[in-house]
Amino acid sequence: MAVVLFHAFPTLLPGGFVGVDVFFVISGFLITGILLRDHAAGCYTLSGFYARRIRRIFPALFTVLLFCFAVGWVALTADELKQLGKYIAGGASFLNNFLFWRDSGYFDNAANTKPLLHLWSLAIEEQFYLFWPLILSGMLRRRHMVGLGVLLMLLASLAYSAWKVRVDAVGAFYSPLTRSWELLLGAGLACVLQQRVQWAASQRFWLGPLGLVLMVLGMWLIHRGDPFPGWWALLPAGGAALVLLSGNDSTWLQRLLANRPIVALGLISYPLYLWHWPLLSLARIFEGQTASAGVRVGLIVASMVLAWLTYVGIERPIRFGPPSRRAIWALCIGMLVLFVGGYAVNRSDGMRYRHANRLNADPSTMVLGADRGKFQKSCGIPTEQRAGLQWCLHDNKQVHANMALLGDSKGEALLYGLSRESRPEESWVMLGPVNLLWDQSSGVNHLALDRLERDPHIEVVVLGNALRGFTVLDPDSGMIAAPQSDSTIQGWVRAYTIGIARLERARKRVVFVLDNPTLPDPNSCIAGTFTPFAWLNVLIYRNVNPHCTVRYSDHLRGTAAYQSFVQQLRAANPHLLVFDPLPLLCDIPNDRCTYSEGRKFLYSYGDHVSDHASSKIAKALLPRIRER
């Protein structure tokens, strides 16, 4: 419930995601207890264990994956369905943690637009149980070594988690090696309790409440930005372990956990876990923004109803029915079919024909960097000296580039259009992330400026940086979140003027390109009729995020500090070419800036211009550059 509450209302319980860590401890405790009892009774078989796991996990998972596949086929764009297909295949093969790990990064779409993101934790659990029964069976041949073996593996995993979270936070979150210690903690408890260790009643009385306090503290103190799991995970995991260790004494905590509503919730917890996130995520996609509180409450209720129906109608009959090899094979074949179907949809680019001419704009025009593969990862700086350089690109039109772009991801978005629309003799190189607001005497700024100063072939340098590189923006409106003082703006101007002067002394013509309006991710701006059936279009709809269109005058007011900086920068640098792309991206006479032009998207991922808009800007800017 902590996880469900966090997903629906993240500000109410900022650390609710640690419920996953509590689950890992419980899972290790329960499954290891079953394995130990089977070994003690002499009825353990590896095939029997995996057959039980299939009957436990596959029925509800197959149902939810099939539901997501069906809804995605009808109501997701080709790019969205392509991604969903990959994660359906990953969910069916229990590899989604590795897929999400691989896909994470700057260009990744928002977490709440991935309906199967929650399956990373199920993947880790099943990866653990692929090997744990074999390891445990081996250790049980020397029973006196079981406790030591579990402890050593637990400590190794915990130490690795603490190290990994500092060097690769995303990898630490998704890696089975950084999470195994939590499952092993539960497994170790099961081993301890099998030895019938005696605890005084007074000791057990305090263990449960103390564990509950630790779990609650973890849910309130740990936030998404914290290095997690690492040492922080000891709070929820250790708390869960203490509650389990407290036993079944008749304390108020045990009575609370044993009451009928809580037990009933536990029975449907697995299908509830499977259902709640796809419903919330699909609602986010259909609404174009986070759904209202009332809608989210309704979705949680709906997920509970679906979980109960799944448990009663699908999970319980298969899980507790007579063992059947046919049922096991049918479940495996069904999961294989989903894997193949998801993989096929992904490889076929999401079946783009499904919504031809039905949507408000063509999602295929949302692309940025379609010709990225033509660029070499070379910028005239030796590989061993490129520390901090994320962008080191050369379009390879000429051996020596004569045009350079300094900037960040917004600069990269301009680069593709500039290169594409340039003449054959105009060759481009990009270095970044570079922002002249940063220290120019060291680091990437100095590396890039020094490289261009010394290159006699470079004639033009274009500066392209995101507005958020100057100040903090409001996440909804994209406007500057707080007023900026005159001294702050003048500081921006001085920093930029120093860098521009360096380049102009080296006889480079410098161009400053203003940032484009900050609009939502264009996937939030898609609308239209998804099916030929009016009744189905009423049920499956997509609303446009209200921030997909902004008044031009509101954009100017909301970025007044930035506009003032540009005016002062132009006055301080008379030879600087300042280029404003807004007339190309906005309908200024009608006071309107929006996401598309005709049926073509002007924006790609996040608030970056698309290839279409990048070419528009390049066609207008290049003649200005050639004037001198």
Side-chain angles (χ1 to χ4, degrees), residues 87 155 166 187 197-198 251 268 408 417 430 474 494 563 615:
Y87 295 142
L155 293 176
R166 295 197 308 271
V197 176
Q198 297 299 315
T251 65
I268 66 167
D408 48 28
M430 178 183 175
D474 181 274
R494 284 193 298 271
Q563 306 301 328
S615 283

Side-chain angles (χ1 to χ4, degrees), residues 477-550:
S477 68
M479 306 302 183
I480 294 177
Q484 303 295 312
S485 65
D486 290 340
S487 61
T488 297
I489 297 172
Q490 290 165 10
W492 297 347
V493 174
R494 284 193 298 271
Y496 256 78
T497 299
I498 292 170
I500 291 169
R502 285 185 62 176
L503 293 168
E504 288 182 342
R505 282 195 300 269
R507 304 192 178 193
K508 318 298 181 187
R509 186 174 187 206
V510 184
V511 181
F512 178 87
V513 180
L514 275 72
D515 191 13
N516 53 268
T518 302
L519 300 180
D521 189 297
N523 283 294
S524 301
C525 305
I526 294 173
T529 56
F530 284 83
T531 78
F533 308 106
W535 64 271
L536 190 55
N537 289 329
V538 172
L539 297 175
I540 299 177
Y541 62 93
R542 288 183 71 155
N543 290 329
V544 173
N545 186 311
H547 296 292
C548 288
T549 298
V550 63

